[in-house]
Coordinates of all heavy atoms in Angstrom, one line a residue:
M998 N -2.7 -59.5 -24.2 CA -3.1 -60.5 -23.3 C -2.0 -61.5 -23.0 O -1.7 -61.9 -21.9 CB -4.4 -61.2 -23.8 CG -5.1 -62.0 -22.7 SD -5.5 -61.2 -21.2 CE -5.9 -62.5 -20.1
M999 N -1.4 -62.0 -24.1 CA -0.3 -63.0 -24.0 C 0.8 -62.5 -23.2 O 1.5 -63.2 -22.5 CB 0.1 -63.5 -25.4 CG -0.9 -64.4 -26.0 SD -1.4 -65.9 -25.1 CE 0.1 -66.9 -25.2
R1000 N 1.1 -61.2 -23.4 CA 2.2 -60.6 -22.7 C 2.0 -60.6 -21.2 O 2.9 -60.9 -20.4 CB 2.3 -59.1 -23.1 CG 3.3 -58.9 -24.2 CD 3.3 -57.4 -24.6 NE 4.5 -56.8 -24.0 CZ 5.6 -56.5 -24.6 NH1 5.7 -56.8 -25.9 NH2 6.6 -55.9 -24.0
I1001 N 0.7 -60.3 -20.8 CA 0.4 -60.3 -19.3 C 0.6 -61.7 -18.8 O 1.2 -61.9 -17.7 CB -1.0 -59.8 -19.1 CG1 -1.1 -58.3 -19.5 CG2 -1.4 -60.0 -17.6 CD1 -2.5 -57.8 -19.6
L1002 N 0.1 -62.7 -19.5 CA 0.3 -64.1 -19.0 C 1.7 -64.5 -18.9 O 2.2 -65.2 -18.0 CB -0.5 -65.1 -20.0 CG -2.0 -65.1 -19.9 CD1 -2.6 -66.0 -21.0 CD2 -2.5 -65.5 -18.5
F1003 N 2.5 -64.0 -19.9 CA 3.9 -64.3 -19.9 C 4.6 -63.8 -18.6 O 5.4 -64.4 -18.0 CB 4.6 -63.7 -21.1 CG 6.1 -63.7 -21.1 CD1 6.8 -64.9 -21.4 CD2 6.8 -62.6 -20.8 CE1 8.2 -64.9 -21.3 CE2 8.2 -62.6 -20.7 CZ 8.9 -63.8 -21.0
W1004 N 4.3 -62.5 -18.3 CA 4.9 -61.9 -17.1 C 4.4 -62.5 -15.9 O 5.2 -62.7 -14.9 CB 4.6 -60.4 -17.1 CG 5.5 -59.6 -18.1 CD1 5.1 -59.0 -19.3 CD2 6.9 -59.5 -18.0 NE1 6.2 -58.5 -19.9 CE2 7.3 -58.7 -19.1 CE3 7.8 -59.8 -17.0 CZ2 8.6 -58.4 -19.3 CZ3 9.2 -59.5 -17.3 CH2 9.5 -58.8 -18.4
I1005 N 3.1 -62.9 -15.8 CA 2.6 -63.6 -14.6 C 3.4 -64.9 -14.4 O 3.9 -65.2 -13.3 CB 1.1 -63.8 -14.7 CG1 0.4 -62.5 -14.5 CG2 0.6 -64.8 -13.6 CD1 -1.1 -62.5 -14.8
G1006 N 3.6 -65.7 -15.5 CA 4.3 -66.9 -15.4 C 5.7 -66.7 -15.0 O 6.2 -67.5 -14.1
L1007 N 6.3 -65.7 -15.5 CA 7.7 -65.4 -15.1 C 7.9 -65.0 -13.7 O 8.8 -65.5 -13.0 CB 8.2 -64.2 -16.0 CG 9.8 -64.0 -16.0 CD1 10.4 -65.1 -16.9 CD2 10.1 -62.7 -16.6
I1008 N 6.9 -64.2 -13.2 CA 7.0 -63.8 -11.8 C 6.8 -65.0 -10.9 O 7.5 -65.2 -9.9 CB 5.9 -62.7 -11.5 CG1 6.3 -61.4 -12.1 CG2 5.7 -62.5 -10.0 CD1 5.2 -60.4 -12.3
V1009 N 5.8 -65.9 -11.2 CA 5.6 -67.1 -10.4 C 6.9 -68.0 -10.4 O 7.2 -68.5 -9.4 CB 4.4 -67.9 -11.0 CG1 4.3 -69.3 -10.4 CG2 3.1 -67.2 -10.8
L1010 N 7.5 -68.1 -11.5 CA 8.7 -68.9 -11.6 C 9.8 -68.3 -10.7 O 10.5 -69.0 -10.0 CB 9.3 -69.0 -13.0 CG 8.6 -70.1 -13.9 CD1 9.1 -70.0 -15.3 CD2 9.0 -71.5 -13.4
V1011 N 10.0 -67.0 -10.8 CA 11.0 -66.3 -9.9 C 10.7 -66.5 -8.5 O 11.6 -66.9 -7.7 CB 11.1 -64.8 -10.3 CG1 11.9 -64.1 -9.3 CG2 11.7 -64.6 -11.7
I1012 N 9.4 -66.4 -8.1 CA 9.1 -66.6 -6.7 C 9.3 -68.0 -6.2 O 9.9 -68.2 -5.2 CB 7.6 -66.2 -6.5 CG1 7.4 -64.7 -6.6 CG2 7.1 -66.6 -5.1 CD1 6.0 -64.2 -6.6
A1013 N 9.0 -69.0 -7.1 CA 9.2 -70.4 -6.8 C 10.7 -70.6 -6.6 O 11.2 -71.3 -5.7 CB 8.7 -71.3 -7.8
A1014 N 11.6 -70.0 -7.5 CA 13.0 -70.2 -7.4 C 13.5 -69.6 -6.1 O 14.4 -70.2 -5.4 CB 13.7 -69.5 -8.6
I1015 N 13.1 -68.4 -5.7 CA 13.5 -67.7 -4.5 C 13.1 -68.6 -3.3 O 13.9 -68.8 -2.3 CB 12.9 -66.3 -4.4 CG1 13.6 -65.4 -5.5 CG2 13.2 -65.7 -3.0 CD1 12.9 -64.1 -5.6
R1016 N 11.9 -69.1 -3.3 CA 11.4 -69.8 -2.1 C 12.2 -71.1 -2.0 O 12.6 -71.5 -0.8 CB 9.9 -70.2 -2.3 CG 9.0 -69.1 -2.0 CD 7.6 -69.4 -2.2 NE 7.2 -70.4 -1.2 CZ 5.9 -70.7 -0.9 NH1 5.0 -70.1 -1.5 NH2 5.6 -71.6 0.0
S1017 N 12.6 -71.8 -3.0 CA 13.3 -73.0 -2.9 C 14.8 -72.7 -2.4 O 15.4 -73.5 -1.7 CB 13.4 -73.8 -4.2 OG 14.1 -73.1 -5.2
K1018 N 15.3 -71.5 -2.8 CA 16.6 -71.1 -2.3 C 16.6 -70.9 -0.8 O 17.4 -71.3 -0.1 CB 17.0 -69.8 -3.0 CG 18.0 -70.1 -4.2 CD 19.0 -69.0 -4.3 CE 20.1 -69.5 -5.3 NZ 20.2 -68.6 -6.4
I1019 N 15.5 -70.2 -0.4 CA 15.4 -69.9 1.0 C 15.3 -71.2 1.8 O 15.9 -71.3 2.9 CB 14.2 -68.9 1.3 CG1 14.5 -67.5 0.7 CG2 13.8 -68.9 2.8 CD1 13.3 -66.6 0.7
R1020 N 14.5 -72.1 1.3 CA 14.3 -73.4 2.0 C 15.6 -74.1 2.1 O 15.9 -74.7 3.1 CB 13.3 -74.2 1.2 CG 12.6 -75.2 2.1 CD 11.4 -75.9 1.4 NE 10.4 -74.9 0.9 CZ 9.5 -75.2 0.0 NH1 9.5 -76.4 -0.5 NH2 8.6 -74.3 -0.3
G1021 N 16.4 -74.1 1.0 CA 17.7 -74.7 1.1 C 18.6 -74.1 2.1 O 19.4 -74.8 2.9
K1022 N 18.6 -72.7 2.2 CA 19.4 -72.0 3.3 C 18.9 -72.4 4.7 O 19.7 -72.6 5.5 CB 19.2 -70.5 3.1 CG 20.2 -69.9 2.1 CD 21.0 -68.8 2.8 CE 22.2 -68.4 2.0 NZ 21.9 -67.4 1.0
L1023 N 17.6 -72.5 4.9 CA 17.1 -72.8 6.2 C 17.5 -74.2 6.6 O 17.9 -74.4 7.7 CB 15.5 -72.8 6.2 CG 14.9 -71.4 6.3 CD1 13.4 -71.4 6.1 CD2 15.3 -70.7 7.6
R1024 N 17.6 -75.1 5.6 CA 18.0 -76.5 5.9 C 19.4 -76.5 6.4 O 19.8 -77.2 7.3 CB 17.8 -77.3 4.6 CG 17.8 -78.8 4.9 CD 17.3 -79.5 3.7 NE 15.9 -79.7 3.7 CZ 15.4 -80.9 3.4 NH1 16.1 -81.9 3.0 NH2 14.1 -81.1 3.5
E1025 N 20.3 -75.6 5.8 CA 21.7 -75.6 6.2 C 21.8 -75.0 7.6 O 22.7 -75.4 8.4 CB 22.5 -74.6 5.3 CG 22.8 -75.3 4.0 CD 23.4 -74.2 3.0 OE1 24.0 -73.2 3.5 OE2 23.3 -74.4 1.8
M1026 N 20.9 -74.1 8.0 CA 21.0 -73.4 9.3 C 20.3 -74.2 10.4 O 20.4 -73.8 11.5 CB 20.5 -72.0 9.2 CG 21.3 -71.1 8.2 SD 20.8 -69.4 8.3 CE 19.1 -69.5 8.2
T1027 N 19.5 -75.2 10.1 CA 18.8 -75.9 11.1 C 19.7 -76.5 12.1 O 20.7 -77.1 11.7 CB 17.8 -76.9 10.5 OG1 18.5 -77.6 9.4 CG2 16.5 -76.4 10.0
P1028 N 19.3 -76.5 13.4 CA 20.1 -77.1 14.4 C 20.0 -78.6 14.3 O 19.1 -79.1 13.6 CB 19.4 -76.6 15.7 CG 18.1 -76.1 15.3 CD 18.2 -75.7 13.9
P1029 N 20.9 -79.4 14.9 CA 20.8 -80.8 14.8 C 19.6 -81.4 15.4 O 18.9 -80.8 16.2 CB 22.1 -81.2 15.7 CG 22.4 -80.1 16.5 CD 21.9 -78.9 15.8
P1030 N 19.2 -82.6 15.0 CA 18.0 -83.3 15.4 C 18.0 -83.4 16.9 O 19.0 -83.6 17.6 CB 18.1 -84.7 14.8 CG 19.1 -84.6 13.7 CD 20.0 -83.4 14.0
G1031 N 16.8 -83.2 17.5 CA 16.7 -83.3 18.9 C 16.7 -82.0 19.6 O 16.3 -81.8 20.7
H1032 N 17.3 -81.0 18.9 CA 17.3 -79.6 19.4 C 15.9 -79.0 19.4 O 15.1 -79.3 18.5 CB 18.2 -78.7 18.5 CG 18.5 -77.4 19.0 ND1 17.6 -76.3 18.9 CD2 19.6 -76.9 19.7 CE1 18.2 -75.3 19.5 NE2 19.4 -75.6 20.0
P1033 N 15.5 -78.3 20.5 CA 14.2 -77.7 20.6 C 13.8 -76.9 19.4 O 12.6 -76.7 19.0 CB 14.2 -76.9 21.9 CG 15.3 -77.5 22.6 CD 16.3 -78.0 21.7
G1034 N 14.8 -76.2 18.7 CA 14.5 -75.4 17.6 C 14.3 -76.1 16.3 O 14.0 -75.5 15.3
Y1035 N 14.5 -77.4 16.3 CA 14.3 -78.1 15.0 C 12.9 -78.1 14.5 O 12.0 -78.2 15.3 CB 14.8 -79.6 15.3 CG 15.1 -80.3 14.0 CD1 16.3 -80.1 13.3 CD2 14.2 -81.2 13.5 CE1 16.5 -80.7 12.1 CE2 14.4 -81.8 12.3 CZ 15.6 -81.6 11.6 OH 15.9 -82.2 10.4
P1036 N 12.7 -77.9 13.2 CA 11.4 -77.8 12.6 C 10.5 -79.0 13.0 O 9.3 -78.8 13.1 CB 11.6 -77.7 11.1 CG 13.0 -77.2 11.0 CD 13.8 -77.7 12.2
G1037 N 11.0 -80.1 13.0 CA 10.2 -81.3 13.3 C 9.7 -81.4 14.8 O 8.9 -82.2 15.1
A1038 N 10.3 -80.5 15.6 CA 10.0 -80.5 17.0 C 8.7 -79.7 17.3 O 8.8 -78.6 17.8 CB 11.2 -80.0 17.9
G1039 N 7.6 -80.3 17.0 CA 6.3 -79.7 17.2 C 5.7 -80.3 18.5 O 6.4 -80.9 19.3
P1040 N 4.4 -80.1 18.6 CA 3.8 -80.7 19.8 C 3.9 -82.3 19.8 O 4.0 -82.9 20.8 CB 2.3 -80.3 19.6 CG 2.3 -79.1 18.7 CD 3.5 -79.3 17.8
Q1041 N 3.9 -82.9 18.6 CA 4.0 -84.3 18.5 C 5.4 -84.8 18.8 O 5.6 -85.8 19.4 CB 3.6 -84.8 17.1 CG 2.1 -84.6 16.8 CD 1.8 -83.4 15.9 OE1 2.8 -82.9 15.4 NE2 0.6 -83.1 15.7
A1042 N 6.4 -84.1 18.2 CA 7.8 -84.4 18.4 C 8.4 -83.6 19.5 O 8.9 -82.5 19.2 CB 8.5 -84.3 17.1
A1043 N 8.3 -84.0 20.7 CA 8.8 -83.3 21.8 C 10.4 -83.4 21.9 O 10.9 -84.3 21.3 CB 8.2 -83.8 23.1
P1044 N 11.0 -82.5 22.6 CA 12.5 -82.5 22.7 C 13.0 -83.9 23.3 O 12.3 -84.5 24.1 CB 12.8 -81.4 23.7 CG 11.7 -80.5 23.6 CD 10.5 -81.3 23.2
T1045 N 14.2 -84.3 22.9 CA 14.7 -85.6 23.2 C 14.7 -85.8 24.7 O 14.4 -86.9 25.1 CB 16.2 -85.6 22.6 OG1 16.2 -85.2 21.3 CG2 16.7 -87.1 22.7
R1046 N 15.1 -84.9 25.5 CA 15.3 -85.1 26.9 C 14.1 -85.5 27.6 O 14.1 -86.0 28.7 CB 16.1 -84.0 27.6 CG 15.4 -82.7 27.4 CD 16.2 -81.6 28.1 NE 15.6 -80.3 27.9 CZ 15.8 -79.5 26.9 NH1 16.6 -79.9 25.9 NH2 15.1 -78.3 26.8
E1047 N 12.9 -85.2 27.0 CA 11.6 -85.4 27.7 C 11.1 -86.8 27.3 O 10.4 -87.5 28.2 CB 10.6 -84.4 27.4 CG 10.8 -83.1 28.2 CD 9.9 -82.0 27.9 OE1 8.8 -82.3 27.4 OE2 10.2 -80.8 28.0
L1048 N 11.2 -87.2 26.1 CA 10.6 -88.4 25.6 C 11.6 -89.5 25.2 O 11.2 -90.4 24.5 CB 9.6 -88.1 24.5 CG 8.2 -87.7 24.9 CD1 7.4 -87.3 23.7 CD2 7.5 -88.9 25.6
G1049 N 12.8 -89.4 25.6 CA 13.8 -90.4 25.1 C 14.2 -90.1 23.7 O 14.1 -89.0 23.2
A1050 N 14.8 -91.1 23.1 CA 15.4 -90.9 21.8 C 14.4 -90.6 20.7 O 13.2 -91.1 20.8 CB 16.2 -92.1 21.4
T1051 N 14.8 -89.7 19.8 CA 13.9 -89.5 18.6 C 14.6 -90.1 17.4 O 15.8 -90.2 17.3 CB 13.7 -88.0 18.3 OG1 15.0 -87.4 18.2 CG2 12.9 -87.4 19.5
V1052 N 13.7 -90.6 16.5 CA 14.3 -91.1 15.2 C 13.7 -90.4 14.0 O 12.7 -89.7 14.2 CB 13.9 -92.6 15.1 CG1 14.8 -93.5 16.1 CG2 12.5 -92.9 15.3
E1053 N 14.4 -90.5 12.9 CA 14.0 -89.8 11.7 C 13.2 -90.7 10.8 O 13.7 -91.8 10.5 CB 15.2 -89.2 11.0 CG 14.8 -88.4 9.8 CD 16.1 -87.9 9.0 OE1 17.2 -88.4 9.4 OE2 15.9 -87.1 8.2
C1054 N 12.1 -90.3 10.3 CA 11.4 -91.1 9.3 C 12.2 -91.2 8.0 O 12.7 -90.2 7.5 CB 10.0 -90.5 9.0 SG 9.1 -91.5 7.7
A1055 N 12.4 -92.4 7.5 CA 13.2 -92.6 6.3 C 12.6 -92.1 5.1 O 13.2 -91.8 4.1 CB 13.5 -94.1 6.1
H1056 N 11.2 -91.8 5.1 CA 10.6 -91.3 4.0 C 10.4 -89.8 4.1 O 10.9 -89.1 3.2 CB 9.2 -91.9 3.8 CG 8.4 -91.3 2.7 ND1 8.7 -91.5 1.4 CD2 7.3 -90.5 2.8 CE1 7.8 -90.8 0.7 NE2 7.0 -90.2 1.5
C1057 N 9.8 -89.2 5.1 CA 9.5 -87.8 5.2 C 10.5 -87.0 6.0 O 10.3 -85.8 6.1 CB 8.0 -87.6 5.6 SG 7.7 -88.2 7.3
H1058 N 11.4 -87.7 6.7 CA 12.5 -87.1 7.5 C 11.9 -86.3 8.7 O 12.5 -85.3 9.1 CB 13.3 -86.2 6.6 CG 14.0 -87.0 5.5 ND1 15.0 -87.9 5.7 CD2 13.7 -87.0 4.2 CE1 15.3 -88.4 4.5 NE2 14.5 -87.9 3.6
V1059 N 10.8 -86.6 9.2 CA 10.2 -86.0 10.4 C 10.8 -86.7 11.6 O 10.9 -88.0 11.5 CB 8.7 -86.1 10.3 CG1 8.1 -85.9 11.7 CG2 8.1 -85.0 9.3
Y1060 N 11.1 -86.0 12.6 CA 11.6 -86.6 13.8 C 10.4 -86.9 14.8 O 9.6 -86.0 15.0 CB 12.6 -85.7 14.5 CG 13.9 -85.8 13.8 CD1 14.2 -85.0 12.6 CD2 14.9 -86.6 14.1 CE1 15.3 -85.0 11.9 CE2 16.1 -86.7 13.4 CZ 16.3 -85.9 12.3 OH 17.5 -86.0 11.7
F1061 N 10.5 -88.0 15.4 CA 9.4 -88.4 16.3 C 10.0 -89.4 17.3 O 11.0 -89.9 17.1 CB 8.2 -89.0 15.5 CG 8.7 -90.2 14.6 CD1 8.6 -91.5 15.1 CD2 9.2 -89.9 13.4 CE1 9.0 -92.5 14.3 CE2 9.6 -90.9 12.6 CZ 9.5 -92.2 13.0
P1062 N 9.2 -89.6 18.5 CA 9.8 -90.5 19.5 C 10.0 -91.9 19.0 O 9.2 -92.4 18.2 CB 8.7 -90.5 20.6 CG 7.9 -89.2 20.3 CD 8.0 -89.0 18.9
E1063 N 11.1 -92.5 19.4 CA 11.4 -93.8 19.0 C 10.3 -94.9 19.3 O 10.1 -95.8 18.6 CB 12.8 -94.3 19.6 CG 13.5 -95.4 18.9 CD 14.8 -95.7 19.5 OE1 15.1 -95.2 20.6 OE2 15.6 -96.4 18.8
S1064 N 9.6 -94.6 20.4 CA 8.6 -95.5 20.8 C 7.4 -95.6 19.8 O 6.7 -96.6 19.8 CB 8.0 -95.1 22.2 OG 7.5 -93.8 22.2
E1065 N 7.3 -94.5 19.0 CA 6.2 -94.5 18.0 C 6.7 -95.0 16.6 O 5.9 -95.0 15.7 CB 5.6 -93.1 17.9 CG 4.9 -92.6 19.1 CD 4.5 -91.2 19.0 OE1 4.5 -90.6 17.9 OE2 4.3 -90.6 20.1
A1066 N 8.0 -95.4 16.5 CA 8.5 -95.7 15.2 C 8.0 -97.0 14.7 O 7.7 -98.0 15.4 CB 10.0 -95.8 15.3
V1067 N 7.8 -97.1 13.4 CA 7.4 -98.3 12.7 C 8.7 -98.7 12.0 O 9.2 -98.0 11.1 CB 6.3 -98.1 11.7 CG1 5.9 -99.4 11.0 CG2 5.1 -97.5 12.4
T1068 N 9.3 -99.9 12.4 CA 10.6 -100.3 11.7 C 10.3 -101.3 10.7 O 9.5 -102.2 10.9 CB 11.6 -100.8 12.8 OG1 10.9 -101.7 13.7 CG2 12.1 -99.6 13.6
A1069 N 11.0 -101.2 9.6 CA 10.9 -102.2 8.5 C 12.2 -102.1 7.7 O 12.7 -101.0 7.4 CB 9.7 -101.9 7.6
N1070 N 12.8 -103.2 7.3 CA 14.0 -103.3 6.5 C 15.2 -102.5 7.2 O 16.0 -101.9 6.6 CB 13.8 -102.7 5.1 CG 12.6 -103.3 4.4 OD1 12.4 -104.5 4.5 ND2 11.8 -102.5 3.8
G1071 N 15.2 -102.5 8.5 CA 16.2 -101.8 9.3 C 16.1 -100.3 9.3 O 17.0 -99.6 9.8
R1072 N 15.0 -99.7 8.8 CA 14.8 -98.3 8.8 C 13.6 -98.0 9.7 O 12.7 -98.8 9.9 CB 14.5 -97.8 7.4 CG 15.7 -97.8 6.5 CD 15.2 -97.7 5.1 NE 16.3 -97.7 4.1 CZ 16.9 -96.6 3.6 NH1 16.4 -95.4 4.0 NH2 17.9 -96.7 2.8
A1073 N 13.5 -96.7 10.2 CA 12.4 -96.3 11.0 C 11.5 -95.4 10.2 O 11.9 -94.6 9.4 CB 13.0 -95.5 12.2
Y1074 N 10.2 -95.6 10.4 CA 9.2 -94.8 9.7 C 8.2 -94.2 10.7 O 8.0 -94.8 11.8 CB 8.5 -95.6 8.7 CG 9.3 -96.2 7.6 CD1 10.0 -97.4 7.7 CD2 9.5 -95.5 6.4 CE1 10.8 -97.9 6.7 CE2 10.3 -96.0 5.4 CZ 11.0 -97.2 5.6 OH 11.8 -97.6 4.6
C1075 N 7.6 -93.1 10.3 CA 6.7 -92.4 11.3 C 5.3 -93.1 11.2 O 4.5 -93.0 12.2 CB 6.5 -90.9 10.9 SG 5.8 -90.6 9.3
S1076 N 5.0 -93.8 10.1 CA 3.7 -94.4 10.0 C 3.8 -95.6 9.1 O 4.7 -95.7 8.3 CB 2.6 -93.4 9.5 OG 3.0 -93.0 8.2
P1077 N 2.8 -96.6 9.2 CA 2.9 -97.8 8.4 C 2.8 -97.4 6.9 O 3.3 -98.1 6.0 CB 1.7 -98.6 8.8 CG 1.4 -98.1 10.2 CD 1.8 -96.7 10.3
E1078 N 2.1 -96.3 6.6 CA 1.9 -95.9 5.2 C 3.3 -95.6 4.5 O 3.6 -95.9 3.4 CB 1.0 -94.7 5.0 CG -0.4 -94.9 5.4 CD -0.7 -94.7 6.9 OE1 -0.6 -93.5 7.3 OE2 -0.9 -95.7 7.6
H1079 N 4.2 -94.9 5.3 CA 5.5 -94.5 4.8 C 6.4 -95.7 4.6 O 7.4 -95.6 3.9 CB 6.1 -93.4 5.7 CG 5.5 -92.1 5.5 ND1 5.9 -91.0 6.1 CD2 4.4 -91.7 4.7 CE1 5.1 -90.0 5.7 NE2 4.2 -90.4 4.9
V1080 N 6.1 -96.8 5.2 CA 7.0 -98.0 5.0 C 7.0 -98.4 3.5 O 8.0 -98.8 3.0 CB 6.5 -99.2 5.9 CG1 7.2 -100.5 5.6 CG2 6.7 -98.8 7.4
N1081 N 5.8 -98.3 2.9 CA 5.6 -98.7 1.5 C 6.1 -97.7 0.5 O 6.1 -97.9 -0.7 CB 4.2 -99.1 1.3 CG 3.7 -100.2 2.2 OD1 4.4 -101.1 2.4 ND2 2.5 -100.0 2.7
L1082 N 6.5 -96.5 1.0 CA 6.9 -95.4 0.1 C 8.4 -95.4 0.1 O 9.1 -95.7 1.1 CB 6.3 -94.1 0.6 CG 4.8 -93.9 0.5 CD1 4.4 -92.7 1.3 CD2 4.3 -93.9 -0.9
P1083 N 9.0 -95.0 -1.1 CA 10.5 -95.0 -1.2 C 11.0 -93.8 -0.4 O 10.3 -92.8 -0.1 CB 10.7 -94.7 -2.7 CG 9.4 -94.1 -3.2 CD 8.3 -94.6 -2.3
P1084 N 12.3 -93.9 0.1 CA 12.9 -92.8 0.8 C 12.9 -91.5 0.0 O 13.3 -91.6 -1.2 CB 14.3 -93.3 1.1 CG 14.3 -94.8 0.9 CD 13.2 -95.0 -0.1
A1085 N 12.6 -90.4 0.6 CA 12.5 -89.2 -0.2 C 13.9 -88.5 -0.2 O 14.7 -88.7 0.7 CB 11.5 -88.2 0.4
Ligands
ZN2232 ZN1 7.1 -90.4 7.4

């Protein structure tokens, strides 16, 4: 029984390691902010040329229209809650 649990734990760790590696690779390959293919460019974060400038949240690094930004301490945040959270 302990052997099975050991192998399950090992497999989970390997999968987690592979996933974090893939995520790191994707981050390298992501196009620059404002590009339509950028992950943050969802329905809420429309391309730059349609809604003006986009800014990056200092906490969660999501891109969103500058008009929706909450600014504090010279940084832009996506929501008032993230103002009180440290930069990630
Ligand atoms: Zn945020």
Side-chain angles (χ1 to χ4, degrees):
M998 190 59 194
M999 286 305 287
R1000 268 180 97 101
I1001 292 167
L1002 287 175
F1003 169 78
W1004 282 110
I1005 289 171
L1007 196 73
I1008 289 165
V1009 167
L1010 275 175
V1011 168
I1012 289 170
I1015 291 170
R1016 282 182 67 165
S1017 67
K1018 262 216 168 119
I1019 290 170
R1020 206 171 299 163
K1022 270 236 167 87
L1023 280 175
R1024 197 167 268 225
E1025 281 171 28
M1026 297 190 311
T1027 38
H1032 190 278
Y1035 197 77
Q1041 292 104 6
T1045 311
R1046 57 182 177 274
E1047 281 178 27
L1048 271 173
T1051 55
V1052 288
E1053 182 185 12
C1054 176
H1056 175 70
C1057 62
H1058 303 289
V1059 161
Y1060 285 84
F1061 53 94
E1063 198 173 14
S1064 57
E1065 295 174 17
V1067 180
T1068 47
N1070 309 318
R1072 290 162 179 263
Y1074 296 88
C1075 67
S1076 61
E1078 293 88 70
H1079 283 183
V1080 172
N1081 300 319
L1082 296 169

